[in-house]
């Protein structure tokens, strides 16, 4: 997934209009929701009390609050009535007033979700890439959803109504996630957490929680926990029927605290099962998306060549910094060429993808072209770029390379910096803006489309490689991490025919004397 991260905003009007500037996207309007019985004039509204909600400014009318929404004095057929008076304006344009009447729920938790609904609706109204909202009346959709939400008794049911409203946009990438899911998303994108360094998942065949991997030199790794081990208990609580995210939250905690786990050896059988209890200290865990190795091989002219292999798993906040360090290390070890592996990389943060491109490109090259909701195109370019290395480069791609991976692959290819080897990419040419809402949930909104530097369409099309290959082993999710940087090829790399094709392409570039 490709996303822009935005912190909670005191007002939507404070965001940058640069589609890819920092962590913001173009915001053509400011939405202010005034909850009341009637519409009020701009001057009258300005004189009322105000309170700020993350992403949306809600103006109190009448001064009587209930669960985060404001009840009006009047009543409608469905109970206490309210109306959202939304003032929208762009620059010096005259503001328009929109009043949407709706009933306020008496159930506190549903009442809170109504406020979340208004936030989500307002953000979509001003930023969604399709100004027709999939050819529907988006203002009426808010009113309809509020009415449907009114009789509900639980927050989960109310959130389902928001999801249903978003689904009518016809864009699967515009969605809302729960506070718990957003915390997991932030851990993945920030690249840091406080925990024990375990990656776990549920085995679909047995329902058991299985260790997928351990972060190198983490508490779990030092305790001798290995891939394939079964996680049985956490702090004395059996994990039968517990999903992986719930278990992961139990393992996380403040650095310096301890968590007690029971694990069963992954090589156990019915007659031989080793169950042991381990106390694991929680620490600050850095999740690097980078792994690397040096591949030595003979070139056609008989010379020994060293190729730096760099696998980028996702575009977290640390991706560019980590890659820069790795490239400098490989340069110090005398590599002559590079393979950048973006296969099965689903994307991540836009800015990280652009920062990675800067590592490889010189000058003022265009990295990507974005198209906003009004059809305006904005090229995003390097500014006096200075590449760390000019050695030949091959980028590996496949059908699992999406979003920021496609931005990076397109930037390096269209600027003549890299040869693409593999299979056609996924084809996700849309950018999402992520905003944390008042209740800790998060809204992902598609705010722009993008084209490659050469103006090639990417969305639903993908990027075609220069050279296709059929790999014998492409399951990067289960392949071991490349722990060794001592120059020996790991068995994982030796089994991958796409890497052999990449080496051949690098040999061809070397014979031609190409160095982009």
């Amino acid at each position: 997934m490709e996303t822009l991260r935005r912190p909670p905003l005191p007002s939507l009007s404070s965001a940058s209009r640069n589609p890819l500037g920092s962590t913001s996207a173009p915001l053509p309007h400011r939405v202010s929701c005034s909850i009341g019985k009637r519409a009020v004039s701009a001057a009258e509204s300005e004189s009322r009390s105000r309170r700020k909600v993350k992403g949306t400014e809600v103006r109190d009318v009448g001064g009587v609050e209930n669960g985060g929404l404001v009840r009006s004095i009047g009543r409608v057929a469905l109970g206490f009535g309210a109306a959202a008076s939304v003032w929208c304006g762009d620059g010096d344009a005259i503001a328009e007033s929109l009043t949407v009447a709706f009933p306020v729920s008496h159930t506190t938790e549903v009442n809170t979700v109504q406020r979340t609904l208004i936030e989500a609706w307002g953000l979509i109204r001003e930023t969604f890439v399709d100004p027709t909202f999939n050819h529907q009346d988006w203002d009426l959709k808010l009113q309809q959803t509020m009415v449907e939400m009114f009789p509900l008794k639980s927050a989960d049911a109310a959130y389902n109504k928001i999801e249903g409203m978003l689904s009518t946009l016809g864009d699967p990438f515009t969605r809302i996630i729960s506070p718990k899911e957003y915390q997991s998303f932030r851990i993945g994108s920030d690249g840091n957490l406080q925990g024990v360094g375990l990656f776990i998942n549920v085995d679909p065949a047995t329902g058991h929680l299985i260790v997928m991997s351990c972060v190198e030199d983490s508490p779990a790794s030092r305790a001798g926990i290995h891939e394939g081990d079964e996680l049985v208990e956490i702090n004395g609580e059996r994990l039968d029927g517990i999903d992986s995210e719930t278990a992961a939250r139990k393992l996380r905690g403040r650095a310096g605290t301890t968590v007690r786990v029971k694990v069963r050896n992954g090589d156990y059988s019915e007659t031989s099962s080793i169950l042991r209890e381990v106390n694991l200290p929680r620490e600050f865990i850095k999740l690097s998306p980078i792994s690397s190795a040096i591949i030595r091989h003979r070139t056609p002219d008989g010379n020994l060549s060293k190729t730096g292999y760099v696998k980028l798993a996702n575009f977290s906040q640390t991706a560019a910094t980590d890659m820069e360090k790795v490239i400098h290390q490989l340069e110090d070890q005398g590599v002559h060429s590079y393979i950048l592996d973006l296969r099965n990389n689903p994307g991540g943060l836009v800015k990280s993808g652009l920062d990675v491109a800067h590592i490889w490109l010189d000058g003022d090259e265009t990295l990507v072209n974005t198209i906003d909701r009004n059809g305006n195109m904005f090229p995003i370019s390097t500014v006096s770029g200075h590449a760390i290395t000019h050695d030949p480069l091959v980028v590996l791609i496949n059908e699992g390379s999406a979003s920021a991976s496609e931005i990076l692959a397109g930037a390096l290819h269209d600027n003549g910096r890299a040869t693409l080897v593999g299979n056609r990419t996924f084809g996700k040419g849309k950018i999402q803006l992520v905003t944390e809402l008042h209740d800790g949930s998060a809204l992902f909104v598609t705010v722009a489309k993008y084209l490659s530097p050469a103006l090639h369409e990417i969305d639903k099309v993908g990027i075609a490689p220069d050279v296709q290959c059929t790999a014998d082993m492409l399951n990067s999710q289960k392949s071991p991490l490349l722990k060794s940087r001592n120059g020996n090829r790991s068995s994982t790399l030796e089994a991958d025919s796409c890497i052999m094709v990449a080496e051949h392409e690098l040999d061809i570039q070397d014979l031609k004397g190409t160095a982009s």
Side-chain angles (χ1 to χ4, degrees):
M1 164 191 345
E2 183 190 348
T3 54
L4 297 170
R5 283 276 299 284
R6 182 174 75 179
L9 298 176
S11 169
L12 287 174
S13 59
S14 65
S16 168
R17 291 183 181 273
N18 181 349
L20 288 178
S22 183
T23 55
S24 61
L27 301 176
H29 298 296
R30 177 175 133 213
V31 172
S32 300
C33 296
S34 175
I35 313 302
K37 176 63 177 177
R38 62 186 178 88
V40 293
S41 68
E44 180 183 359
S45 181
E46 287 295 338
S47 68
R48 310 266 183 163
S49 60
R50 296 185 183 183
R51 58 188 172 84
K52 302 285 188 173
V53 177
K54 297 170 185 175
T56 306
E57 179 183 293
V58 179
R59 292 177 180 165
D60 294 344
V61 178
V64 181
E65 295 190 19
N66 179 20
L69 293 177
V70 182
R71 287 182 174 178
S72 70
I73 299 174
R75 291 175 180 268
V76 294
L78 292 175
F80 281 99
S85 296
V86 183
W87 300 91
C88 299
D90 186 8
D92 296 326
I94 298 175
E96 60 169 320
S97 173
L98 170 69
T99 302
V100 181
F102 60 88
V104 176
S105 173
H106 298 288
T107 305
T108 301
E109 58 183 280
V110 174
N111 196 257
T112 301
V113 180
Q114 286 182 308
R115 175 173 157 183
T116 301
L117 169 63
I118 292 178
E119 286 187 277
W121 172 84
L123 283 165
I124 290 168
R125 192 177 195 271
E126 64 172 25
T127 63
F128 187 58
V129 67
D130 176 9
T132 74
F133 307 102
N134 199 22
H135 305 286
Q136 64 178 324
D137 187 335
W138 190 240
D139 303 331
L140 179 61
K141 180 60 64 176
L142 171 66
Q143 186 174 5
Q144 292 172 340
T145 306
M146 275 293 188
V147 171
E148 293 173 1
M149 193 179 286
F150 174 74
L152 302 178
K153 301 300 181 183
S154 72
D156 288 343
Y159 270 110
N160 287 338
K161 291 299 180 183
I162 298 180
E163 292 171 355
M165 180 184 76
L166 300 182
S167 69
T168 65
L169 294 169
D171 175 32
F173 305 111
T174 295
R175 67 198 192 281
I176 191 169
I177 61 174
S178 69
K180 292 179 180 178
E181 291 173 316
Y182 182 52
Q183 289 305 310
S184 295
F185 169 81
R186 291 195 61 176
I187 288 171
S189 61
D190 293 347
N192 291 281
L193 62 82
Q194 296 180 59
V196 298
L198 273 178
F199 289 95
I200 55 177
N201 209 345
V202 175
D203 185 337
T206 64
H208 296 163
L209 282 167
I210 302 300
V211 175
M212 305 303 294
S213 64
C214 294
V215 176
E216 187 175 355
D217 197 34
S218 66
S221 175
R222 294 194 298 269
I225 298 176
H226 301 288
E227 177 183 347
D229 288 353
E230 178 191 349
L231 194 59
V232 179
E233 288 184 8
I234 299 177
N235 285 333
E237 179 184 351
R238 294 281 302 181
L239 299 177
D240 302 326
I242 300 295
D243 63 85
S244 57
E245 178 54 36
T246 300
R249 287 198 300 270
K250 295 178 183 295
L251 291 171
R252 298 175 198 142
R254 184 169 51 85
T257 60
T258 301
V259 60
R260 187 175 72 259
V261 301
K262 279 188 179 180
V263 294
R264 179 175 285 117
N265 191 326
D267 298 325
Y268 73 94
S269 64
E270 292 296 328
T271 57
S272 175
S273 176
I274 301 176
L275 185 65
R276 62 194 181 98
E277 186 172 275
V278 183
N279 288 319
L280 299 175
R282 294 186 177 103
E283 299 176 358
F284 287 97
I285 307 294
K286 181 180 179 182
L287 304 176
S288 175
I290 303 285
S291 53
S292 65
I294 291 179
I295 302 173
R296 284 190 171 91
H297 73 286
R298 291 284 178 184
T299 62
D301 57 7
N303 294 323
L304 181 64
S305 177
K306 293 196 293 185
T307 297
Y309 171 85
V310 182
K311 170 70 177 176
L312 180 58
N314 59 70
F315 290 88
S316 68
Q317 285 188 356
T318 67
T321 302
D322 290 349
M323 178 169 289
E324 187 171 350
K325 291 178 181 177
V326 166
I327 298 303
H328 280 301
Q329 291 172 357
L330 293 172
E331 286 289 296
D332 290 342
Q333 296 179 65
V335 301
H336 308 110
S337 57
Y338 287 89
I339 296 174
L340 175 58
D341 194 344
L342 298 180
R343 290 173 300 174
N344 298 319
N345 182 328
L349 302 178
V350 176
K351 186 176 185 300
S352 292
L354 299 177
D355 288 344
V356 170
H358 279 77
I359 294 174
W360 302 94
L361 290 171
D362 282 326
D364 302 319
E365 306 287 1
T366 297
L367 303 178
V368 68
N369 295 288
T370 66
I371 302 176
D372 69 11
R373 64 190 290 172
N374 298 315
N376 301 312
M377 187 167 71
F378 300 92
I380 308 300
S381 305
T382 59
V383 178
S384 301
H386 184 69
I388 294 176
T389 176
H390 298 90
D391 291 333
L393 172 66
V394 165
V395 176
L396 298 180
I397 55 174
N398 70 355
E399 59 279 357
S401 307
S403 299
S405 290
E406 292 170 297
I407 287 180
L408 178 58
L412 297 177
H413 177 267
D414 288 1
N415 286 297
R417 181 64 181 89
T419 300
L420 303 183
V421 170
N423 293 285
R424 185 178 291 272
T425 60
F426 180 83
K428 181 177 177 291
K430 295 178 178 178
I431 297 172
Q432 281 70 50
L433 176 70
V434 184
T435 303
E436 182 180 356
L437 305 181
H438 81 279
D439 62 351
S441 62
L443 182 70
F444 291 68
V445 183
T446 297
V447 295
K449 299 177 182 179
Y450 63 81
L451 305 177
S452 76
L455 302 181
H456 296 144
E457 187 74 42
I458 295 175
D459 196 46
K460 300 180 181 179
V461 177
I463 297 176
D466 297 303
V467 181
Q468 283 192 314
C469 71
T470 302
D472 297 324
M473 192 287 299
L474 281 176
N475 192 353
S476 66
Q477 297 298 323
K478 293 185 178 180
S479 63
L481 295 175
L482 303 175
K483 299 178 181 178
S484 174
R485 294 190 178 93
N486 61 4
N488 294 322
R489 244 193 242 195
S490 71
S491 59
T492 299
L493 300 182
E494 289 176 343
D496 194 331
S497 61
C498 276
I499 288 182
M500 289 187 282
V501 173
E503 290 176 340
H504 176 68
E505 289 300 312
L506 290 171
D507 287 340
I508 293 175
Q509 291 186 35
D510 186 57
L511 290 175
K512 291 181 178 180
T514 58
S516 302

